[in-house]
Amino acid sequence: MKRPPSIVRRLITSLGLVGGLGAVLLLIVIGIEYRISFSNLSDSDAFRRALHELSEHVLLPMAVLILPMALAGRWAIKSGVRPLTDAAAEIDARARETRGVQVDTTDIPVEARPFADAINRVLGRIDGAAALHEAFAADIAHELRTPLTLLSLELDRLDHPDAPRMRGDVAKMRRLIDQLMLLAQIDADHAAHIPPAPVDLGEIAADVIAQLAPLALDAGRHLELETEAPVMVAGRREAIAAALRNLIENALRASPEYSCIAVRTAADGTLAVRDEGPGLSADQLAALSQRHRRADHASRDGAGLGLAIVDRIMRAHGGTLAACPEAREIRLHFPSARASG
């Protein structure tokens, strides 16, 4: 397999060739300076004296200097390309950020700055295209809310056996549209670098459980909250509530009848949903977090966006969505959490 090109290897090879050529030229100059020739060295004693003189005053100093010069040259080369390595590490550290990523050109060498500027221009165009896409999606969602509201009002007056089911379908569509608009708002706030506000995970969990309690009772399930001291994280309350609501609704579908679904908070910034269903592995969760993927227990009338929306919300908060199959939990972990006494 061919090795990829390396600037450091090329510079070291070039310096080695230049150094070797310089040593050869130095020996030639010394030979001319002292008028040393094979004809003048016919005497063996004269040849040994000349060789001793050359070794002591030329070859030995060169040998002593080669190693320090080689090390100094390698250090200088690596120092020269270190700003590029640092820039790559900075971009990798911001890999979870979807918008506003730019290469800091402050310490970039002048020779590499056009390359960095070109990358920044490409990233800027990508951000612009993403902003247009998000605005388009938000506009469509906003326009759909009015006809759905009118449709709900018409269904409320409809006296038909299918009316409750149709009202439920419209309600699901409205909630999905609300979530899409919420995601667009999160992305817009993130792009504008609007700082999130401190929110209490336990308080959010209590509100969501209160909202979904009637749905759980109708489905023959029980909701339970496990929280102690308030756990404060930096985030957007509506988005976190939407993520938790999706997880609880998934748990309601996955759990057997008369089972308990527990929501708990932890001081490390974890918000978890535990049910009595079969559980999900990390690979299953990663697959279901993709759009239009459903678990076996999921209903066929959904859009397959539940866990994908949760994953998007967590990435916007710099957090993670993870599965713990041993505990039968889906966990949301938020960074920079602190527990209040």
Side-chain angles (χ1 to χ4, degrees), residues 247-271:
L247 293 185
I248 295 177
E249 289 177 347
N250 285 343
L252 289 174
R253 290 192 294 267
S255 299
E257 195 173 5
Y258 307 117
S259 61
C260 177
I261 298 166
V263 180
R264 70 176 182 90
T265 63
D268 63 350
T270 296
L271 179 60

Side-chain angles (χ1 to χ4, degrees), residues 43-164:
D43 185 4
S44 60
D45 292 336
F47 179 81
R48 284 195 297 272
R49 288 194 301 273
L51 185 59
H52 176 74
E53 180 88 7
L54 187 63
S55 300
E56 183 176 357
H57 296 288
V58 179
L59 297 180
L60 183 59
M62 288 178 59
V64 171
L65 289 175
I66 283 176
L67 182 59
M69 291 179 63
L71 294 176
R74 183 179 180 83
W75 174 82
I77 292 171
K78 286 188 173 293
S79 297
V81 299
R82 185 173 295 119
L84 300 179
T85 306
D86 294 342
E90 181 184 354
I91 293 177
D92 284 339
R94 301 175 62 185
R96 297 186 65 86
E97 298 183 25
T98 57
R99 299 281 294 276
V101 178
Q102 291 280 288
V103 178
D104 185 5
T105 60
T106 304
D107 298 323
I108 296 292
V110 176
E111 294 79 5
R113 189 162 295 179
F115 178 72
D117 291 338
I119 292 178
N120 284 338
R121 287 192 293 270
V122 171
L123 292 173
R125 288 195 291 270
I126 293 175
D127 282 349
L132 291 175
H133 176 75
E134 291 163 3
F136 178 70
D139 290 341
I140 291 178
H142 180 73
E143 292 298 325
L144 286 174
R145 294 184 71 180
T146 300
L148 285 178
T149 301
L150 296 176
L151 181 59
S152 297
L153 295 175
E154 292 294 330
L155 290 175
D156 288 339
R157 295 197 296 265
L158 181 63
D159 184 13
H160 191 274
D162 292 333

